[in-house]
Amino acid sequence: MSRRKGAKTGTERDVEAVLDDLYTTPPADFIARREELAAAAKAAGHVDDTRRIRAARRPTLAAWAANLLLRSQPQESRQFLELGQALREAYRTLDAVGINELSEQRRRIVAALSGQVAQLAQEAGHRLSDQVRQDVESTLRAVLTDQDAADQWAGGRLEGALTPPSDFPGTAPSAGATHKPRRETTTPQPSARTRAKNELAERRRQREERLTHARTAAEETARRLRDARTEEAEAEAARQQARDRHDQAHQQVSAAEQRLQQAQQELQRADREQQEAEERSHAAADAHARARQEAREAERELKRLTSRKG
């Protein structure tokens, strides 16, 4: 049976999963992990997989952190990509006021998501410096601004930080870029003026709809980020409580172990004392038996001497 065009074989899916895992490996461990995975693929006889794995380049710390966000928070990452698409569409159609409003929302969301990336990296054992966090924010801004950057990040295998385009949206469009209706050389008829007004009103309505959609998407993303931070804080508090209970239980176990050790020592001492007492008891019993024997013998001797005297 022929394989469906575009479908991946089990081996192809396996190597994709291996590469996904590799790019969430901290940069310090990347080379060793890559060689380990390549050696496993080679031992299995997968020549092409071995070549692809060995061709993987170690990501920077900022790129690794961005990859970690994508893999660790798939739902939020998907919403972030959808928000970027909505913002890019809005930037193409909105006026200066609308663009500035969305730009402010974009800055807040990027800052919040950057903080979440730093938290994920911290939990993985890597504290991000200010420069690395700036690179992470640059990558997130690029994802919101540029479709190619969004596609690269969505692949989950960034090797370096992404840079937003130089014409990053966020400022009011220049006067020369503002669209103006073409003026007619002759005086328009009333019906033409009506059509022009209707077209202008329709464009305004469409802009308002896109602005509303972009605002809603931005607010929803911000809300989910707040919820995620709340959940993280609650999880951290729960972990701290569990850690405290664990420490308390460990102290109780240690105290119980000390009491058990003392009890064992006391038991051993009692066993020795009992053994010594039993030995003394046996010795006393033996002495008593000997005394009784000697008394009987003395009595017999007395009787014998008495009978001879008579």
Side-chain angles (χ1 to χ4, degrees):
M1 181 180 295
S2 60
R3 182 164 54 92
R4 181 173 57 87
K5 183 178 180 181
K8 293 184 177 180
T9 65
T11 301
E12 289 173 333
R13 287 193 296 269
D14 290 343
V15 72
E16 295 297 331
V18 165
L19 289 171
D20 289 342
D21 173 73
L22 180 59
Y23 275 93
T24 56
T25 301
D29 304 325
F30 184 89
I31 300 300
R33 180 61 174 162
R34 181 185 65 188
E35 295 308 311
E36 177 185 351
L37 295 172
K42 182 178 180 181
H46 301 154
V47 179
D48 291 340
D49 294 352
T50 303
R51 176 184 54 77
R52 289 190 61 191
I53 294 172
R54 283 183 173 162
R57 297 178 57 190
R58 180 173 61 182
T60 63
L61 191 57
W64 164 76
N67 292 333
L68 186 63
L69 171 66
L70 183 77
R71 300 300 178 191
S72 301
Q73 306 291 339
Q75 182 176 358
E76 292 182 14
S77 299
R78 183 175 64 256
Q79 291 171 348
F80 188 68
L81 289 168
E82 292 173 354
L83 173 63
Q85 184 176 359
L87 289 179
R88 288 191 295 274
E89 178 63 24
Y91 278 127
R92 286 193 293 268
T93 57
L94 292 177
D95 55 13
V97 176
I99 286 178
N100 289 333
E101 289 181 2
L102 288 184
S103 296
E104 180 60 30
Q105 289 181 331
R106 172 186 56 78
R107 282 190 289 271
R108 290 198 301 268
I109 291 171
V110 167
L113 203 57
S114 174
Q116 189 171 357
V117 171
Q119 179 65 27
L120 290 171
Q122 181 73 27
E123 293 174 356
H126 294 271
R127 181 181 178 278
L128 302 185
S129 66
D130 292 341
Q131 180 59 54
V132 173
R133 289 194 62 167
Q134 290 177 10
D135 290 341
V136 170
E137 292 185 0
S138 172
T139 297
L140 295 176
R141 289 197 302 270
V143 171
L144 288 180
T145 308
D146 183 67
Q147 182 63 53
D148 291 339
D151 293 339
Q152 291 182 54
W153 181 62
R157 301 175 192 170
L158 290 182
E159 298 173 355
L162 300 177
T163 304
S166 57
D167 56 344
F168 189 75
T171 57
S174 61
T178 304
H179 175 72
K180 296 181 179 180
R182 185 183 61 176
R183 295 184 178 181
E184 300 291 341
T185 56
T186 59
T187 303
Q189 297 296 322
S191 60
R193 286 198 300 270
T194 300
R195 286 195 301 271
K197 291 180 180 179
N198 291 338
E199 290 175 358
L200 179 59
E202 178 63 19
R203 287 197 296 272
R204 289 175 177 173
R205 185 189 65 79
Q206 292 177 357
R207 284 200 301 268
E208 288 299 324
E209 287 183 354
R210 294 188 183 98
L211 176 59
T212 299
H213 176 72
R215 284 172 176 167
T216 302
E219 292 171 357
E220 177 66 15
T221 301
R223 183 187 65 80
R224 291 186 179 277
L225 287 174
R226 290 194 300 270
D227 293 344
R229 286 197 299 272
T230 300
E231 292 176 358
E232 288 176 356
E234 293 175 350
E236 179 60 28
R239 282 197 297 269
Q240 184 61 45
Q241 292 177 356
R243 190 179 300 113
D244 293 341
R245 289 195 297 270
H246 176 270
D247 293 341
Q248 183 179 3
H250 180 71
Q251 293 174 357
Q252 293 174 349
V253 169
S254 298
E257 289 177 346
Q258 291 178 356
R259 291 194 296 270
L260 176 60
Q261 185 177 5
Q262 293 175 355
Q264 289 175 339
Q265 292 174 351
E266 292 176 358
L267 178 61
Q268 291 173 356
R269 184 167 57 254
D271 288 341
R272 288 194 300 270
E273 292 176 352
Q274 181 180 0
Q275 184 177 359
E276 293 173 355
E278 289 177 352
E279 291 175 353
R280 289 195 299 271
S281 177
H282 292 158
D286 292 342
H288 180 262
R290 286 194 301 271
R292 290 182 62 185
Q293 181 64 28
E294 291 175 355
R296 284 195 296 270
E297 291 178 353
E299 185 179 356
R300 284 195 299 270
E301 180 65 17
L302 177 59
K303 288 181 179 179
R304 184 178 65 79
L305 292 175
T306 302
S307 62
R308 287 180 63 185
K309 184 177 180 181

